Amino acid sequence: MAFNETMNEMQQQAVLHTDGPLLILAGAGSGKTRVLTHRAAYLIEEAGVNPYHIMAITFTNKAAGEMRQRIDDIVGYGSESIWVATFHSSCVRILRRHIDRIGFDTNFTIYDADDQKTLMKEICKRLEIDTKIYKERTFLSAISSAKDELIDPIAFSLRAQGDYQKQRQAEVYKEYQASLRKNNALDFDDLIMKTVELFKTDAEVLEYYQERFRYIMVDEYQDTNTAQFQLIKLLAGKYRNLCVVGDDDQSIYKFRGANIYNILHFEKEFPDAKVIKLEQNYRSTQNILNAANHVIANNVGRKRKELWTENGEGEKVAFRQFETGNEEADYVAGDITSKVRKGICGYKDCAVLYRTNAQSRLFEERFIASNIPYKIVGGVNFYARREIKDLLAYLKTIDNARDDLAVRRIINVPKRGIGATTLNRVQDYALQQGIGFYEALKMAEDIPTLGRGAAKLKPFVTLIQTMRSKAEYIGVTELLQEVIEETGYVEELEAENTEEAQQRISNIDELISKAAAYEADETREGPATLSGFLEEVALVADIDSVDEAQDYVVLMTLHSAKGLEFPQVYLAGMEDGLFPSYMSICADNSVEEIEEERRLCYVGITRAKARLSISCARQRMIRGETQYNKVSRFVKEIPASLLAGEIRKEREPERHKPTMSQFARQAFRAKPMAMTQAAQVPPVKNFGGNADAQVLSYVVGDRVKHVKFGAGTVKQIVSGGRDYEVTVEFDSAGVKKMFAAFAKLQKL
């Protein structure tokens, strides 16, 4: 097979080493897929291995399909006998033949996420579990994590001794598995776990597959969990011709159960393993690779490697610091427009990468305003996300209850036990009377067909009516916060305690920031009103005119970007507290968490082929409040000689501007107005007899101005410990009480 002219020396070594365990440490952009496909071809054409005895495992159907196509193109006749599949599809094929040996019928059903939720609801009801306290999703997450580690219900119960919450989870886990068996069903985690169980309990079946798969190759090995590792170890136990390909520096899926120690400790499991490093990069310029190398070198838990390329030095990494997130988004939009106009690149050559989906909002708005076509990958349009649509539907109903779709969307959000039959009867009554759906809800007691169902509708109507009355004298931001508090929307998400829930909470925080930015916008025509806010959001959210078949900029999280590459990459929001996140900085195992975040940064940097732009903001609005962050530690790990742009000296925030610590968010969610508790200004003087009050630009008796209520006189300032409640008698709006950091009063 002629590959000498097209493959570098280390790639050739990886292809030629066919016997015994092999670990290929493939750096970003080093051509690992090419190595795997050529290795399969070499086994068949040169080593005389029957294609039937070769197995190649990937993580996604797309990756499996691409590998299958490339092997077919190289090998040709006979390649169809190679087993190329994902972990889950491989296990399904095995279990369809042999699962009867461990008590299931071979015609088992596979439960998807919705099936799991339905089953969990039944179990919680059966066990009389209050799902307001113990969320179904929390149980499912705990069970999934246990299965990733091959912990069955019995072992889980033993480990739960002395921990009431864990014991409750063990009880649910046991009942959940019993129900699955009764229904002859498996969930996705079971597919791996049950295959391992089958191999461990049936030597005949294990030997059959060990004989079948004499040569095994595993792609993206750094993303395997404990169960997948055990599966591979069992299959390779006889012939030990196991080749795993991966990059520990790109292990970023710990939250999905990935165990980085599978790749870090490979030589401990296989002491005779050969290790080959693929360090030549075919994607990026040397300056980009040098930046990536310097950042990842700060991780302790890694196998040392250093990327290099023959692509040339290239441009320096552009670095920009901005005062606000708005300025950052303006810069990115302007830079893309400029480069496209000059012919440097097309829209499709550009990608904006960020840590959380919530960060997309500012970029979406700027791109729409600048007529930049874009597509969100790994997420949906900010205003089309479920939690955003839910909360906007509440605001729409409060503002104008004639929007039947909005009312029907939220009438059971959160769950109020209102059934479809009740809603249909209300709808029928509305049609008969020629009135709107919400008007019919207000008249529920007069609808004869409802009976007891009318009582369930009353709390919803009362909530909306209360909010409608408040909307007359409080701002949009405060109204939104009231809705979140009264509905318990964020509390429910927090109780789930999942990665998805945290992402949704971040999106809600961003919506609050959007409302606060709208109210503070001095360029807005007319006063800040709820109707005006909804109109602005509706216009921004309307991106149906974007033709995704044409040139477009890609917006995505760093997790979604893995495996992709772009000529021009913008890494946005590079600030401590955002990336790395406060959760990782403050975690009990902060060293491990920050190393995972650093690997994510490494992935982001190495997506860039020709040009990389890194940006951050000195202040950013989080949950409607201004938060001050330092430049990300990851940026500071890049030598200044590689950057075009300097890291300015850190400045303390101005004293007259209240700041909010990320840690205050937890208190906010317990009691919304506590969000201002962390103003970082030392107490120095007495305000109207309140010794604990912090420095403000006004005292009792001063004249002040509020963005909504106008001018007034400060009557009282009461300390709340870390924030203070200010009472103001406004000239036209009367007496109002508000928290200082939220009110943003200006002294006249």
Side-chain angles (χ1 to χ4, degrees), residues 370-436:
S370 304
N371 292 317
I372 297 175
Y374 70 92
K375 177 183 178 182
I376 296 180
V377 177
V380 296
N381 172 278
F382 180 82
Y383 294 103
R385 292 165 186 157
R386 176 164 50 124
E387 57 277 8
I388 303 304
K389 292 187 73 172
D390 286 345
L391 293 173
L392 288 177
Y394 266 104
L395 295 183
K396 289 177 183 178
T397 302
I398 294 166
D399 185 56
N400 179 4
R402 288 179 295 179
D403 187 343
D404 285 359
L405 285 177
V407 178
R408 290 183 69 99
R409 179 182 181 90
I410 60 173
I411 195 166
N412 263 321
V413 179
K415 296 170 187 174
R416 297 182 173 93
I418 303 171
T421 301
T422 297
L423 295 178
N424 290 336
R425 287 173 179 170
V426 173
Q427 185 67 61
D428 291 341
Y429 181 81
L431 292 172
Q432 291 169 9
Q433 301 297 318
I435 59 177

Side-chain angles (χ1 to χ4, degrees), residues 1-50:
M1 188 175 82
F3 58 78
N4 291 341
E5 296 180 1
T6 60
M7 304 185 80
N8 65 46
E9 180 183 351
M10 302 312 293
Q11 289 176 328
Q12 291 180 38
Q13 286 188 32
V15 169
L16 294 172
H17 186 88
T18 58
D19 297 325
L22 170 65
L23 169 61
I24 303 175
L25 291 172
S30 60
K32 67 180 178 63
T33 304
R34 193 156 174 266
V35 169
L36 282 176
T37 52
H38 279 78
R39 191 172 186 275
Y42 182 83
L43 284 170
I44 297 168
E45 295 178 359
E46 304 294 333
V49 176
N50 188 328

Side-chain angles (χ1 to χ4, degrees), residues 335-563:
D335 196 56
I336 291 174
T337 299
S338 175
K339 282 185 168 62
V340 171
R341 188 184 298 122
K342 294 176 181 177
I344 296 174
C345 63
Y347 291 121
K348 65 181 178 182
D349 298 323
C350 302
V352 182
L353 309 182
Y354 36 75
R355 181 62 181 85
T356 67
N357 273 315
Q359 291 171 254
S360 73
R361 195 263 297 176
L362 289 177
F363 295 104
E364 290 184 69
E365 294 182 353
R366 295 309 187 279
F367 286 2
I368 291 169
S370 304
N371 292 317
I372 297 175
Y374 70 92
K375 177 183 178 182
I376 296 180
V377 177
V380 296
N381 172 278
F382 180 82
Y383 294 103
R385 292 165 186 157
R386 176 164 50 124
E387 57 277 8
I388 303 304
K389 292 187 73 172
D390 286 345
L391 293 173
L392 288 177
Y394 266 104
L395 295 183
K396 289 177 183 178
T397 302
I398 294 166
D399 185 56
N400 179 4
R402 288 179 295 179
D403 187 343
D404 285 359
L405 285 177
V407 178
R408 290 183 69 99
R409 179 182 181 90
I410 60 173
I411 195 166
N412 263 321
V413 179
K415 296 170 187 174
R416 297 182 173 93
I418 303 171
T421 301
T422 297
L423 295 178
N424 290 336
R425 287 173 179 170
V426 173
Q427 185 67 61
D428 291 341
Y429 181 81
L431 292 172
Q432 291 169 9
Q433 301 297 318
I435 59 177
F437 186 78
Y438 182 73
E439 288 301 310
L441 289 176
K442 290 164 64 177
M443 302 167 61
E445 293 180 355
D446 298 330
I447 302 176
T449 56
L450 285 183
R452 295 180 179 177
K456 294 183 179 180
L457 301 173
K458 188 175 181 180
F460 173 76
V461 173
T462 301
L463 172 65
I464 298 301
Q465 290 300 104
T466 301
M467 291 298 163
R468 296 189 82 176
S469 64
K470 287 187 176 183
E472 296 177 5
Y473 63 89
I474 65 176
V476 178
T477 309
E478 189 174 354
L479 179 66
L480 177 57
Q481 291 165 339
E482 288 268 354
V483 168
I484 294 169
E485 170 68 8
E486 292 300 322
T487 59
Y489 202 106
V490 168
E491 289 180 4
E492 284 201 357
L493 290 174
E494 286 184 323
E496 290 179 12
N497 194 31
T498 63
E499 177 80 5
E500 179 187 351
Q502 287 299 324
Q503 290 278 358
R504 294 179 66 195
I505 291 171
S506 294
N507 291 336
I508 292 170
D509 290 349
E510 188 65 15
L511 182 62
I512 295 173
S513 294
K514 169 61 182 176
Y518 164 75
E519 290 186 290
D521 184 9
E522 296 180 355
T523 65
R524 180 192 63 252
E525 293 184 8
T529 64
L530 179 56
S531 297
F533 173 71
L534 292 170
E535 178 182 331
E536 181 170 308
V537 166
L539 292 173
V540 170
D542 184 15
I543 60 167
D544 293 339
S545 59
V546 175
D547 184 355
E548 295 185 356
Q550 296 181 1
D551 234 6
Y552 54 77
V553 178
V554 172
L555 294 171
M556 70 175 83
T557 64
L558 287 152
H559 281 102
S560 299
K562 187 169 177 291

Side-chain angles (χ1 to χ4, degrees), residues 158-427:
L158 290 173
R159 297 185 183 199
Q161 304 260 337
D163 186 327
Y164 177 78
Q165 186 173 356
K166 292 288 186 183
Q167 287 175 336
R168 200 65 165 149
Q169 291 175 354
E171 183 183 8
V172 171
Y173 186 9
K174 179 181 178 182
E175 189 68 22
Y176 176 78
Q177 288 304 107
S179 297
L180 285 173
R181 183 176 286 268
K182 180 182 176 182
N183 297 340
N184 194 41
L186 303 178
D187 62 23
F188 274 88
D189 295 313
D190 277 328
L191 296 176
I192 310 292
M193 190 174 184
K194 290 299 178 184
T195 305
V196 172
E197 179 185 334
L198 172 66
F199 286 164
K200 286 185 174 181
T201 57
D202 197 308
E204 182 182 0
V205 173
L206 175 60
E207 185 176 8
Y208 170 81
Y209 284 102
Q210 286 177 336
E211 284 293 333
R212 169 75 194 271
F213 304 129
R214 300 184 184 184
Y215 293 86
I216 300 172
M217 295 185 289
V218 183
D219 195 12
E220 301 289 2
Y221 188 67
Q222 76 281 348
D223 295 334
T224 55
N225 60 33
T226 300
Q228 290 161 338
F229 165 73
Q230 287 295 332
L231 176 71
I232 294 302
K233 185 179 179 182
L234 286 165
L235 282 173
K238 184 173 184 178
Y239 289 97
R240 305 181 77 256
N241 296 323
L242 173 62
C243 168
V244 300
V245 184
D247 183 4
D248 52 301
D249 290 335
Q250 295 186 73
S251 180
I252 59 174
Y253 294 124
K254 182 181 179 182
F255 67 93
R256 293 182 187 170
N259 186 350
I260 191 174
Y261 294 105
N262 289 347
I263 192 168
L264 292 180
H265 294 169
F266 186 80
E267 296 107 306
K268 291 184 179 180
E269 292 291 338
F270 301 94
D272 57 335
K274 181 175 179 62
V275 180
I276 296 175
K277 297 180 181 180
L278 303 182
E279 297 172 289
Q280 183 175 356
N281 177 283
Y282 293 90
R283 174 190 300 158
S284 308
T285 63
Q286 191 61 56
N287 270 331
I288 291 172
L289 296 181
N290 287 343
N293 288 333
H294 277 93
V295 170
I296 201 64
N298 290 277
N299 272 9
V300 176
R302 67 184 292 260
K303 292 180 177 293
R304 189 181 180 280
K305 68 185 86 63
E306 191 160 319
L307 299 179
W308 62 276
T309 186
E310 295 179 346
N311 292 342
E313 188 175 86
E315 298 178 16
K316 288 189 175 184
V317 176
F319 175 68
R320 299 288 187 277
Q321 275 181 283
F322 301 95
E323 283 300 306
T324 67
N326 291 319
E327 291 180 11
E328 179 187 46
D330 285 336
Y331 160 74
V332 172
D335 196 56
I336 291 174
T337 299
S338 175
K339 282 185 168 62
V340 171
R341 188 184 298 122
K342 294 176 181 177
I344 296 174
C345 63
Y347 291 121
K348 65 181 178 182
D349 298 323
C350 302
V352 182
L353 309 182
Y354 36 75
R355 181 62 181 85
T356 67
N357 273 315
Q359 291 171 254
S360 73
R361 195 263 297 176
L362 289 177
F363 295 104
E364 290 184 69
E365 294 182 353
R366 295 309 187 279
F367 286 2
I368 291 169
S370 304
N371 292 317
I372 297 175
Y374 70 92
K375 177 183 178 182
I376 296 180
V377 177
V380 296
N381 172 278
F382 180 82
Y383 294 103
R385 292 165 186 157
R386 176 164 50 124
E387 57 277 8
I388 303 304
K389 292 187 73 172
D390 286 345
L391 293 173
L392 288 177
Y394 266 104
L395 295 183
K396 289 177 183 178
T397 302
I398 294 166
D399 185 56
N400 179 4
R402 288 179 295 179
D403 187 343
D404 285 359
L405 285 177
V407 178
R408 290 183 69 99
R409 179 182 181 90
I410 60 173
I411 195 166
N412 263 321
V413 179
K415 296 170 187 174
R416 297 182 173 93
I418 303 171
T421 301
T422 297
L423 295 178
N424 290 336
R425 287 173 179 170
V426 173
Q427 185 67 61

